[in-house]
Amino acid sequence: HHLKSAGMSVTIESLDDVGALNKIEGKQLQKCCLLCMKKFKGATLERKLLLKEAREIGVSFSELEKIVDSLTSLFIAFGKKQLSQSSFNMLIETMKIREEHSAVLYNTYSDNVEIIRQVLSEASTRLPHYENLDWRLEIETSSRSLHHEIRPTYLVKLATENGQKSTSTLMQCDYSVMKSMCDQLELALKRVGSSHCRRMSKYIN
């Protein structure tokens, strides 16, 4: 999933992916939080800037990218619900983030909560919502080029709704692509039903 607003594009990753935050110290985290907030305010974090910041912070370029992405995911989650500091700290503990990082994260969140919610609000009004899915299996049974080889394909019609407007998208894919999509959806549903996800949803949803 992606959120786009004011030139900002972020990918919402699994909230379990916070290990990168536990590898840095408080002062490093503060600088990473500043970079993250620049994204929320519409700035483009170009490679040249990130390389410079990575050297100053004392991490690799890839580590800095992962840290900023993890922070973005966290602040998106935090922005979905009004959190008291005690609830915030409980959420940090649940996610197994270093206790000493809690104050830095909460101060960044509380100082920028309106900006975060504005981005979420603007994104949610534009993101399409699932409405319906139709599919048809097509098999070509006779062809000179196939030589008795059966190649099934799927024709998928996805209907989405955005405000008062409905849109239909036609897609064609082979079995391997369809299987991969189904596997990913089943994995997502399985994770939604996990005890960890249910515990997290009390604070995030």
Side-chain angles (χ1 to χ4, degrees):
H1 300 283
H2 290 79
L3 294 182
K4 296 184 179 179
S5 176
M8 172 186 173
S9 177
V10 298
T11 303
I12 304 180
E13 304 291 349
S14 166
L15 292 178
D16 294 329
D17 186 23
V18 295
L21 304 183
N22 292 328
K23 297 177 182 178
I24 58 176
E25 302 300 324
K27 289 185 178 180
Q28 295 172 305
L29 179 61
Q30 287 179 328
K31 292 183 178 180
C32 292
C33 285
L34 289 175
L35 287 173
C36 181
M37 286 305 110
K38 285 183 179 181
K39 288 181 66 176
F40 276 98
K41 294 174 183 177
T44 301
L45 300 184
E46 297 180 352
R47 181 180 177 86
K48 184 177 179 180
L49 171 64
L50 288 177
L51 284 169
K52 178 176 178 291
E53 293 290 343
R55 286 193 298 270
E56 292 180 358
I57 293 171
V59 298
S60 69
F61 173 77
S62 60
E63 286 173 333
L64 180 58
E65 277 193 317
K66 187 171 184 179
I67 291 167
V68 173
D69 286 344
S70 295
L71 287 170
T72 302
S73 297
L74 287 176
F75 289 126
I76 286 172
F78 297 157
K80 290 180 179 178
K81 189 170 184 180
Q82 293 183 351
L83 296 174
S84 65
Q85 188 161 5
S86 60
S87 296
F88 185 96
N89 291 338
M90 190 178 298
L91 180 56
I92 292 297
E93 181 180 355
T94 300
M95 300 179 74
K96 301 187 182 339
I97 297 175
R98 288 169 59 173
E99 184 179 353
E100 57 267 32
H101 287 349
S102 181
V104 175
L105 294 172
Y106 183 76
N107 288 338
T108 302
Y109 162 73
S110 59
D111 290 345
N112 298 278
V113 64
E114 295 304 320
I115 294 171
I116 296 169
R117 287 179 182 162
Q118 180 181 349
V119 170
L120 285 171
S121 175
E122 291 174 358
S124 64
T125 60
R126 289 197 298 272
L127 289 175
H129 303 280
Y130 170 84
E131 194 172 64
N132 190 37
L133 179 70
D134 290 321
W135 62 273
R136 183 175 72 212
L137 174 62
E138 297 181 335
I139 300 177
E140 188 173 356
T141 57
S142 130
S143 171
R144 291 182 179 179
S145 61
L146 287 178
H147 300 293
H148 306 293
E149 180 183 354
I150 297 176
R151 293 182 182 176
T153 59
Y154 292 89
L155 185 65
V156 181
K157 182 180 180 182
L158 174 65
T160 57
E161 180 268 329
N162 192 353
Q164 300 298 318
K165 183 180 178 181
S166 294
T167 303
S168 294
T169 304
L170 285 175
M171 300 172 283
Q172 188 175 32
C173 62
D174 60 18
Y175 173 79
S176 62
V177 174
M178 178 65 79
K179 180 69 164 56
S180 177
M181 288 193 294
C182 290
D183 289 344
Q184 291 299 315
L185 288 171
E186 288 177 358
L187 178 61
L189 288 172
K190 185 177 180 180
R191 296 192 69 175
V192 165
S194 68
S195 58
H196 175 72
C197 187
R198 289 196 300 270
R199 187 165 62 249
M200 293 286 292
S201 67
K202 292 190 299 183
Y203 304 102
I204 296 172
N205 292 335

